[in-house]
Amino acid sequence: MSGSRLQRSLTVHPGKTFNAAAFAFGTFALSSTPSLFPSIVLTTVLLLQARALLRRSFAGLHIIFLLLNLSVATTLANYSASTTALSTVGSSLGFSFLRSLATSISALIPVLITTSLNPQSKSSWLRLTFFPAVWTIIWSVICRVSPTGRLGSWTPLYGIDGYRWILPYTGLSGIDFITAFWAVVASESIGNWVQGTRPTDDEVWGDADDDNRVINGYPHAIEAQNHYTDEPIGPGETSNGHEVGEVHRRSHAEKSTKSLVSAVLLLISLTIPSFYIFNLPLPPYSQNTESVKLACVLPPHTPVNPHESTLESYLAETKRVSSIANIAIWPEAA
């Protein structure tokens, strides 16, 4: 697909394009062990989709469809593990879908908050770091109150080797912030590319009516469009005309480009310590390690019921192994 056709697809039919992208990348990013790169791409798609569709008519229906889309993608990504979670395949998939719906809602909350507030500031860094901060705080709170912790969250667990050195200092919240930061940089870059030069009637998010059109989903893009008028410009007239609009657009584009380049360099520079800091596990026996003895509690079957152990037998076996082990582990079927 050529660049112009891709631009038109993103601006004229954002709903179809972004929903297809969210479903495709969701099946890769939303497994039980998410990876960094697919997570960044998926979050980028959600940011662009929210900016494109939130200001359109029937935005609520678009959000509901997006939630269902992400939930189905998550269920498919965990299909092999979900089918054996409960007694029947149907109940397993149903529970997996509900859990996926809950995590999708959790992920969309910071996206919608950031898109709705969209802080307007002369500081480009405030705009770039606002979403990562909201994303990190909300996921930290959700994982804190959730009985399953980070199980099922969107926090990447693989592909984070370059940033693994920050885990002892920030925990997985630092990985959440970096993931969201990369997504903001990518979405801003794509947004600036789609915006291109002077906006036209065709270069809008969606094919809705004039009241619902949003250029690139960015307020600065709308502001830039407002400077372009088709009214004739008299001698010496520059305000609200082509010249002022062009100067404003170029000035904003330069500031945005510098901020994005600086953000990319910062994110890349954060991987440098990984070449010198090795978070490898300590040797099994060293001055800084302490051995822990484990024991699996598997009591012998009784003659009365040879296929099932009683609670008393588990307690007796636990008492027996406690003298030789620090931790006694019971099987799931106990």
Side-chain angles (χ1 to χ4, degrees):
M1 180 181 292
S2 63
S4 60
R5 292 182 60 187
L6 179 58
Q7 282 180 320
R8 182 172 180 81
S9 177
L10 291 175
T11 55
V12 178
H13 304 290
K16 298 177 181 179
T17 304
F18 287 130
N19 274 307
F23 182 83
F25 289 108
T27 55
F28 292 99
L30 302 179
S31 63
S32 57
T33 54
S35 298
L36 180 61
F37 179 74
S39 298
I40 292 173
V41 176
L42 178 60
T43 310
T44 301
V45 171
L46 295 182
L47 284 172
L48 291 171
Q49 185 170 8
R51 288 166 177 168
L53 301 178
L54 194 60
R55 296 176 178 86
R56 296 185 63 197
S57 57
F58 305 106
L61 292 178
H62 290 293
I63 294 174
I64 293 175
F65 185 79
L66 177 60
L67 285 174
L68 296 177
N69 190 14
L70 292 174
S71 301
V72 173
T74 308
T75 304
L76 290 178
N78 299 275
Y79 177 80
S80 58
S82 301
T83 53
T84 58
L86 298 177
S87 57
T88 62
V89 176
S91 59
S92 299
L93 293 179
F95 179 80
S96 178
F97 178 81
L98 293 178
R99 183 185 65 87
S100 303
L101 181 61
T103 56
S104 299
I105 294 175
S106 302
L108 278 185
I109 289 176
V111 174
L112 297 178
I113 289 177
T114 306
T115 307
S116 300
L117 298 179
N118 202 354
Q120 295 300 298
S121 174
K122 294 182 179 180
S123 174
S124 299
W125 284 100
L126 176 61
R127 187 158 44 85
L128 290 176
T129 57
F130 181 71
F131 171 71
V134 176
W135 177 271
T136 303
I137 292 173
I138 289 182
W139 271 117
S140 298
V141 172
I142 292 175
C143 294
R144 170 71 71 174
V145 301
S146 172
T148 58
R150 289 191 175 270
L151 183 63
S153 70
W154 287 20
T155 303
L157 300 177
Y158 287 95
I160 60 174
D161 296 332
Y163 302 104
R164 195 178 296 275
W165 66 273
I166 71 173
L167 291 178
Y169 308 100
T170 65
L172 288 173
S173 296
I175 302 299
D176 286 332
F177 188 90
I178 289 175
T179 303
F181 202 175
W182 271 116
V184 170
V185 171
S187 63
E188 290 280 343
S189 302
I190 296 174
N192 292 339
W193 171 71
V194 173
Q195 180 184 347
T197 56
R198 172 180 177 176
T200 65
D201 289 340
D202 291 333
E203 295 172 346
V204 295
W205 285 126
D207 49 3
D209 55 353
D210 292 339
D211 294 333
N212 296 320
R213 293 184 302 180
V214 177
I215 299 177
N216 195 25
Y218 293 83
H220 64 259
I222 300 175
E223 182 180 357
Q225 187 200 31
N226 292 337
H227 286 291
Y228 294 105
T229 62
D230 294 328
E231 299 177 359
I233 303 176
E237 294 183 1
T238 58
S239 61
N240 293 328
H242 295 272
E243 295 182 9
V244 172
E246 184 67 17
V247 171
H248 176 84
R249 186 189 64 80
R250 289 182 179 180
S251 175
H252 185 278
E254 291 177 359
K255 292 181 180 179
S256 179
T257 301
K258 291 180 181 179
S259 300
L260 291 175
V261 172
S262 301
V264 171
L265 293 177
L266 174 62
L267 288 168
I268 294 177
S269 64
L270 288 176
T271 64
I272 295 177
S274 64
F275 294 99
Y276 305 97
I277 301 177
F278 301 97
N279 292 324
L280 297 177
L282 295 173
Y285 300 99
S286 67
Q287 295 180 351
N288 298 322
T289 59
E290 182 178 353
S291 61
V292 177
K293 297 180 180 180
L294 304 178
C296 294
V297 179
L298 297 174
H301 298 297
T302 61
V304 178
N305 193 352
H307 300 291
E308 183 178 354
S309 299
T310 62
L311 177 61
E312 289 74 14
S313 62
Y314 275 103
L315 294 175
E317 184 70 10
T318 302
K319 185 178 180 180
R320 187 187 69 83
V321 301
S322 61
S323 59
I324 58 175
N326 303 106
I327 299 176
I329 303 176
W330 284 27
E332 294 182 2

